[in-house]
Amino acid sequence: MKKSFIICLFALLFITTASEAQRPQLRYETENVSLTGRLVYRTFYGPPNYGETPKEDSRETQPILLLDSAVDVIGTPNDDFNVTERGVKSITLVSTRALRPFVGKRVTVQGKLFHAHTGHHHTKVLMSVSSVKRR
């Protein structure tokens, strides 16, 4: 039984490692990327305490792209800001374009990625959107 457990453990480790190796690897800010997924709006706690005092905190509603498949976003060496994030499944969209008509729809968005750096950023990775198309 112990032998079976060890074999299962190694198989699981191999499958996990293999699936991670197959994820697309994207870069921050230096390249335009194209991502496909479903657009939703989510509401998060905002200032003054970002959820620590829900009765007092404001609410922030943001467009989120729920990706069809996870991606890895590779950080820049010696950059403490744009760090590597693996298995990213949701990205906040930052856009001057009207996104509400696409809510609940499958879309492809293009733009540049950047890492969260304020309390207003509720996903680890965000995208400055340059275009959005319904799929």
Side-chain angles (χ1 to χ4, degrees):
M1 184 155 147
K2 185 176 180 181
K3 192 175 190 180
S4 297
F5 175 75
I6 292 172
I7 290 171
C8 287
L9 187 63
F10 278 117
L12 181 61
L13 179 64
F14 175 76
I15 291 169
T16 302
T17 304
S19 67
E20 287 178 6
Q22 295 174 0
R23 284 195 297 253
Q25 292 191 342
L26 308 174
R27 305 251 180 246
Y28 291 108
E29 297 180 7
T30 58
E31 63 184 32
N32 268 332
V33 298
S34 181
L35 296 170
T36 301
R38 188 168 55 90
L39 179 66
V40 298
Y41 271 77
R42 296 269 161 84
T43 301
F44 304 93
Y45 289 112
N49 296 308
Y50 298 91
E52 290 182 21
T53 54
K55 290 181 181 179
E56 298 174 19
D57 294 340
S58 65
R59 305 293 190 278
E60 299 177 335
T61 301
Q62 299 176 348
I64 307 290
L65 183 66
L66 304 175
L67 300 177
D68 286 348
S69 56
V71 298
D72 292 339
V73 184
I74 306 304
T76 307
N78 302 318
D79 183 347
D80 294 335
F81 178 66
N82 286 326
V83 297
T84 296
E85 296 292 351
R86 300 205 180 273
V88 175
K89 295 180 181 179
S90 60
I91 294 178
T92 300
L93 301 180
V94 179
S95 179
T96 57
R97 303 174 183 279
L99 297 176
R100 290 245 182 231
F102 299 103
V103 173
K105 309 285 192 279
R106 192 164 173 266
V107 297
T108 296
V109 294
Q110 290 185 317
K112 293 188 177 188
L113 302 175
F114 63 98
H115 199 276
H117 59 275
T118 76
H120 300 283
H121 297 159
H122 299 284
T123 58
K124 292 181 180 181
V125 177
L126 296 87
M127 175 189 271
S128 293
V129 176
S130 58
S131 71
V132 58
K133 293 180 185 174
R134 188 170 175 195
R135 300 305 293 162

